[in-house]
Amino acid sequence: ENCEGGGKATICVFFALPHILDSGAEGRNKYRDIMTSASKAVRGMSFQFMWFEGGAQPDLETTLELTFGFPAVAAYSVDKGVYTVHRLSFTEK
């Protein structure tokens, strides 16, 4: 329901971040900074960004095929009902 675009095409970007005990607070903050940078790059477009702790949403992770570890990123087009998974490095570049 957080991804509903109110009648306009919306792309929801999900960030599955490692558990804070795995990455530490500094690591978690680094990942969140990357997420913030990505959201600023598409400001004004119909993107919704959200993050969750990897392993905490098993149904979502299975549906989006996030089975290769964390961090992971997936984008879902609400309008088209399709998704894609980013399988490269998790950096700002």
Side-chain angles (χ1 to χ4, degrees), residues 10 23 27 35 46 56 72 81:
T10 300
S23 64
M35 186 177 84
S46 297

Side-chain angles (χ1 to χ4, degrees), residues 46-80:
S46 297
F47 284 85
Q48 296 286 331
F49 289 84
M50 51 198 88
W51 71 272
F52 62 94
E53 180 180 287
Q57 300 289 331
D59 292 339
L60 178 61
E61 293 163 27
T62 300
T63 299
L64 295 176
E65 300 176 17
L66 302 178
T67 58
F68 50 86
F70 307 109
V73 182
Y76 172 71
S77 172
V78 175
D79 187 44
K80 296 179 181 179

